[in-house]
Structure formats: structure tokens, C-alpha cells
Amino acid sequence: MRRFLTAACRGIAPFLAAAMLLFAITAVKSFLEIRPAEDYQDEGTHTFTASSGYPTTRRGHWQKQYHRYSTKYVYVVEYRAPGGWRWRRDFPYESAGKVAIQNRERVERQVFSLTGENAYITTDPGLTPQSYVERQQRRYLMVTAVCLAVAASEGAIYLLVRSRRNPPGEG
């Protein structure tokens, strides 16, 4: 059993390291695409009320044995605020989404509009454009750091195992 696990780890390790490097590259790319705080205009905190909902599917993870992505069913509830603002939230169960609509659930959301564009984002209340951008940057830097740390530790383990297998001085 131990030999099987060792062989499996040796087979998986290069692919895991490559995947970690790809994730790190994607995170760095996303980090560089973050707009500066000056591009966001604070529209204030608004109260969004659950108004309607509909069932839909979302693409899940890759299922190797079926050669396809899994499908996840969710119930999407649309929240509206005065001024035409909209926000959507996924509920894992239709019953939970319908309860939110029946109860006219209210949610506080911060709205930032993009200057020069007809677009906006909603975030947790209490954030400023600067703190929103900093939070996004921290997230992408954290993902990059974790991915690079995993890839580096795999490289160090590989070099350690290789040096034990072929001691210095032996060709």
C-alpha cells in the first residue's frame, strides 16, 4: 500500500505543481486587471428587497469519469433597490429562495458605479472604493502566494528525494 501511495504521489506531483503555477499566473493577471479606486464612484448604501426568483443551473467541477462538468441547480433571487439597482443571490434550495421572496427579505448593499460606463457593482456595506480595491488585491495576492508556496514546497521535496536517491559523488 505504501509503494502504491508513493507512486501515486510521484505521478500527481508534477501535475499539481503545474496547476499551482497556472493558478498563480491567473491570479497575477486578475490582480493586474483590478481597476484603480478612482474608477469607482460611491453611490451609497441601499436597501435591496427580494422581488422575484427563478431556478437555473450553474456549471460545477469537472467529472473525469463522465468526461463532463457537473451541473448544480440553484434558485436565483433578484433583489431590487430604489433607483433601479439590482443584485442577484444564489440559494442552494428553491424553498429557501421562495421564503426570501415571500418574506420580502431586505439586504443592505454598498453600490459603486464605474465612472464613464453604464455599469455598477454591489459589495458589503461599509466599504469605500479604496478599501474594496485593497480587499480585491489582498485576495489575489493571497491566492498567488499560496499557489507559489505549494509549487515551491513540491519542488523542494522533489530535490530532497532526488538527492537522497543519488548522493553527491555518485555519478
Side-chain angles (χ1 to χ4, degrees), residues 73-75 91-98:
Y73 294 96
V74 295
Y75 194 77
F91 282 86
Y93 304 105
E94 185 172 348
S95 58
K98 287 186 175 183

Side-chain angles (χ1 to χ4, degrees), residues 47-50 79 100 103-108:
T47 302
F48 289 77
T49 306
Y79 291 78
N103 295 338
R104 310 259 316 143
E105 181 180 81
R106 295 174 178 261
V107 178
E108 296 286 321

Side-chain angles (χ1 to χ4, degrees), residues 15-27:
F15 296 109
L16 182 61
M20 289 294 115
L21 290 175
L22 287 175
F23 286 141
I25 290 168
T26 303

Side-chain angles (χ1 to χ4, degrees), residues 83-120:
W85 308 111
R86 292 180 182 195
W87 175 63
R88 290 181 181 92
R89 178 177 168 197
D90 290 354
F91 282 86
Y93 304 105
E94 185 172 348
S95 58
K98 287 186 175 183
V99 166
I101 295 169
Q102 281 179 340
N103 295 338
R104 310 259 316 143
E105 181 180 81
R106 295 174 178 261
V107 178
E108 296 286 321
R109 300 288 292 171
Q110 187 77 26
V111 178
F112 299 139
S113 63
L114 293 164
T115 53
E117 294 181 30
N118 190 19
Y120 63 91

